[in-house]
């Protein structure tokens, strides 16, 4: 097994070498959308072709196969009998709302001001390119992993598609049970936690379930000049207000308690004392997090967000049917069924129908006391020595939830520094990744692969 090279301490160098590759991948408009007109299959094919050109050793030494519209690579390990590792990423991106609002065109792959600009730089082509560059450079050095390494790259994560599920099913059919699965999710987050000055490398050990519920009300309708009390729109509005005024109960999950305990090392004195005693101060800390709103509040409970409303198609016509979509993020400990039961109880109106559009249960919680989590922590310490590694429950969803049926150690961590502005740019305007940060990500995957010993 090869050892780290002097260049390992210079992530900027690795980033500068690989940055043009990521920029080139960004030029592929691999937009994933439920609107067929927004999807260009030729761009997805071009992306796959570009990978073969940019990472020739990967394609020479690793077995490659297509799974749905995604890709699955196998890097054979040197020691038989060891459970394999799966590194995941996705190369589809969300649509751009207004290209004119971007500092640089979102699909031009511009390198400027020490950054790689464009849609997908952070979510999630950056991780994909960092993984492939890590493997490519390790192959150049003659390195071979002790454990077999699978690279699973999806093409429809942004639309909750089935490519990752098909990849997991394929591995299961082949008797593969991964020792470790690592996908996007957390990051080396700055300015993420109140009272904590150090960057925090948050590692997702679970993720909330995702549920879309349609609320609907039927009514005879009629002319707007002769409205009846509590017509379809008014009755629906009352239900929406009731859901908004009565949020789900809050509590701190054990994972959040452990996260706070770890954050104590980087917090100012008084918060540090509170965080260190988070287990015994669960109730007041729950109230504080709820009062802070936003991400802290979402960490404490199942959340309900009303995202879409529809009624009459004319301004002077009473709707015969009014609908609203509730996007629910289900906290571990809850279930789709328990959420629906509480929502019906909160709405308190039999004329308001609730229909599940689609949903997935919260992911199982992966442990933090095993060798897999320790391997992630070790790589983080080497590449991000100023960061505190901490587990957390992801608020969003990733393809990794499809792998929880075949592995008990599924984690979510993108090895990039992201301040508040960077996190806000994901799915928004002016997404970019600094070249140095990109280099750190490559170094992280290299160290993780080098450390995969029995």
């Amino acid at each position: 097994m090869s050892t780290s090279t002097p260049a390992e301490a210079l992530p900027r160098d690795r980033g500068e070498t690989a940055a043009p590759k990521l920029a080139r991948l960004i030029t592929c408009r691999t937009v994933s959308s439920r609107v067929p007109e927004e999807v260009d299959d030729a761009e997805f094919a071009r992306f796959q072709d570009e990978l073969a050109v940019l990472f020739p050793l990967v394609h020479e030494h690793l077995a490659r196969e297509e799974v749905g519209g995604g890709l699955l690579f196998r890097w054979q390990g040197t020691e038989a009998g060891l459970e394999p590792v799966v590194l995941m990423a996705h190369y589809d991106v969300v649509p751009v709302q207004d290209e004119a609002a971007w500092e640089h065109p979102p699909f031009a792959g511009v390198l400027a001001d020490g950054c790689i600009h464009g849609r997908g730089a952070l979510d999630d082509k950056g991780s994909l390119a960092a993984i492939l560059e890590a493997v490519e450079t390790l192959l150049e050095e003659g390195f071979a992993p002790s454990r077999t390494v699978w690279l699973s790259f999806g093409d429809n994560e942004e639309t909750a598609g089935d490519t990752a599920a098909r990849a997991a099913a394929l591995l299961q059919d082949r008797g593969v049970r991964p020792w470790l699965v690592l996908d996007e999710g957390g990051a080396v987050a700055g300015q993420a936690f109140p009272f904590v000055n150090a960057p925090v490398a948050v590692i997702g050990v679970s993720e909330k379930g995702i549920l879309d519920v349609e609320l609907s009300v039927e009514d005879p309708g009629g002319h707007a000049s002769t409205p009846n009390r509590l017509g379809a729109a008014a009755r629906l509005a009352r239900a929406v207000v009731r859901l908004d005024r009565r949020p789900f109960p809050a509590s701190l999950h054990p994972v959040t308690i452990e996260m706070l305990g770890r954050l104590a090392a980087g917090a100012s004195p008084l918060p540090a004392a509170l965080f260190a005693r988070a287990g015994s101060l669960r109730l007041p800390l729950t109230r504080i997090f709820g009062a802070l709103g936003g991400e802290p509040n979402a960490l404490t409970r199942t959340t309900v967000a009303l995202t879409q409303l529809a009624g009459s198609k004319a301004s002077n016509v009473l709707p015969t049917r009014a609908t609203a979509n509730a996007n629910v993020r289900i906290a571990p400990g809850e279930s789709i069924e328990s959420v629906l039961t509480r929502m019906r109880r909160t709405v308190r109106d039999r004329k308001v129908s609730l229909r599940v559009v689609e949903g997935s249960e919260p992911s199982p919680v992966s442990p933090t006391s095993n060798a897999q989590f320790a391997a992630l922590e070790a790589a983080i310490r080497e590449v991000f020595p100023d960061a505190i590694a901490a587990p957390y429950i992801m608020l969003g969803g990733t393809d990794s939830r499809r792998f929880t049926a075949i592995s008990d150690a599924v984690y979510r961590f993108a090895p990039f520094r992201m301040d508040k502005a960077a996190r806000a740019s994901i799915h928004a305007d002016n997404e970019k990744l600094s070249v140095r940060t990109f280099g750190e990500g490559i170094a992280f995957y290299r160290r993780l692969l080098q450390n995969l010993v029995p």
Side-chain angles (χ1 to χ4, degrees):
M1 179 178 296
S2 65
T3 58
S4 59
T5 64
E8 205 67 84
L10 300 172
R12 179 182 292 277
D13 292 347
R14 293 204 183 280
E16 289 175 349
T17 300
K21 299 182 182 182
L22 174 55
R24 190 163 158 183
L25 294 176
I26 287 172
T27 66
C28 300
R29 291 178 176 259
T30 52
V31 174
S32 181
S33 172
R34 290 185 172 90
V35 179
E37 294 75 18
E38 292 183 332
V39 180
D40 187 342
D41 292 337
E43 289 295 294
F44 283 82
R46 183 165 77 89
F47 182 90
Q48 293 189 9
D49 292 341
E50 291 282 17
L51 292 183
V53 174
L54 297 173
F55 304 101
L57 292 180
V58 170
H59 287 74
E60 177 183 348
H61 294 278
L62 275 64
R64 165 180 155 161
E65 59 187 307
E66 293 189 18
V67 181
L71 295 172
L72 190 64
F73 294 85
R74 188 187 78 253
W75 192 6
Q76 186 62 45
T78 59
E79 299 193 28
L82 292 181
E83 294 176 319
V85 168
V86 178
L87 300 182
M88 300 180 65
H90 66 89
Y91 52 91
D92 61 315
V93 299
V94 297
V96 172
Q97 300 302 315
D98 181 9
E99 295 199 12
W102 286 63
E103 181 182 359
H104 299 284
F107 294 104
V110 172
L111 290 168
D113 307 317
C115 292
I116 309 142
H117 298 259
R119 174 62 85 225
L122 291 172
D123 185 20
D124 184 35
K125 290 180 180 177
S127 289
L128 185 148
I131 291 170
L132 287 173
E133 183 68 10
V135 175
E136 185 84 3
T137 55
L138 287 172
L139 287 169
E140 287 176 357
E141 297 165 15
F143 173 85
S146 55
R147 298 177 184 272
T148 294
V149 177
W150 293 86
L151 310 180
S152 180
F153 300 146
D155 68 318
N156 55 14
E157 190 271 351
E158 296 293 1
T159 54
D162 67 348
T163 292
R166 294 173 67 174
L170 179 64
L171 294 182
Q172 186 173 36
D173 289 345
R174 294 176 180 175
V176 175
R177 186 162 184 84
W179 181 76
L180 167 69
V181 176
L182 180 63
D183 196 5
E184 63 167 338
V188 183
Q191 307 165 314
F193 298 94
F195 319 115
V196 178
N197 299 319
V200 183
V202 284
I203 304 168
V205 296
S206 177
E207 59 188 58
K208 285 185 166 184
I210 304 176
L211 175 65
D212 278 310
V213 179
E214 181 192 73
L215 288 75
S216 64
V217 179
E218 307 284 347
D219 188 78
H223 199 283
S225 63
T226 56
N228 294 318
R229 184 178 179 274
L230 277 181
R235 190 176 290 274
L236 179 68
R238 185 175 68 176
V240 168
V241 170
R242 285 175 175 173
L243 287 171
D244 187 63
R245 288 179 175 174
R246 292 190 60 194
F248 276 68
S251 65
L252 289 186
H253 191 278
V255 168
T256 307
I257 296 293
E258 180 179 353
M259 180 189 74
L260 292 175
R262 291 175 178 241
L263 294 186
S268 46
L270 179 57
L274 294 175
F275 291 168
R277 299 175 56 208
S280 59
L281 297 174
R282 184 187 298 256
L283 183 58
L285 284 173
T286 297
R287 290 174 177 169
I288 291 171
F289 271 56
L292 288 171
E295 290 183 3
N297 173 63
L299 283 171
T300 70
R301 71 180 84 229
T302 293
T303 59
V304 180
L306 278 299
T307 56
Q308 295 172 305
L309 294 166
S312 173
K313 294 183 179 180
S315 63
N316 63 344
V317 176
L318 299 174
T320 57
R321 187 171 190 268
T323 63
N325 186 82
N327 184 263
V328 185
R329 302 304 170 109
I330 310 171
E334 293 269 13
S335 67
I336 292 175
E337 190 56 41
S338 69
V339 164
L340 292 172
T341 298
R342 182 177 177 86
M343 289 179 69
R344 291 189 182 102
R345 191 166 61 242
T346 300
V347 169
R348 301 195 319 273
D349 190 337
R350 293 182 180 178
K351 291 188 177 182
V352 178
S353 299
L354 273 64
R355 180 180 68 88
V356 173
V357 179
E358 59 181 350
S360 61
E361 302 285 0
S363 298
V365 178
S366 295
T368 60
S369 57
N370 56 7
Q372 294 92 319
F373 194 85
L376 297 176
E377 287 185 290
I380 288 169
R381 280 195 302 271
E382 292 184 54
V383 181
F384 307 99
D386 57 330
I388 301 168
Y392 87 122
I393 296 172
M394 268 197 65
L395 305 181
T398 70
D399 273 341
S400 68
R401 69 187 184 279
R402 313 291 192 179
F403 283 72
T404 57
I406 64 171
S407 177
D408 297 324
V410 178
Y411 301 96
R412 303 142 184 95
F413 175 70
F416 301 131
R417 295 182 187 271
M418 296 189 200
D419 59 16
K420 189 173 182 179
R423 296 193 300 276
S425 74
I426 295 174
H427 287 202
D429 298 335
N430 295 316
E431 186 178 350
K432 62 185 177 182
L433 176 63
S434 85
V435 171
R436 179 176 181 81
T437 293
F438 184 43
E440 288 177 322
I442 297 166
F444 170 85
Y445 287 118
R446 282 176 53 88
R447 297 307 294 145
L448 181 64
L449 291 167
Q450 289 170 324
N451 291 342
L452 289 178
V453 294

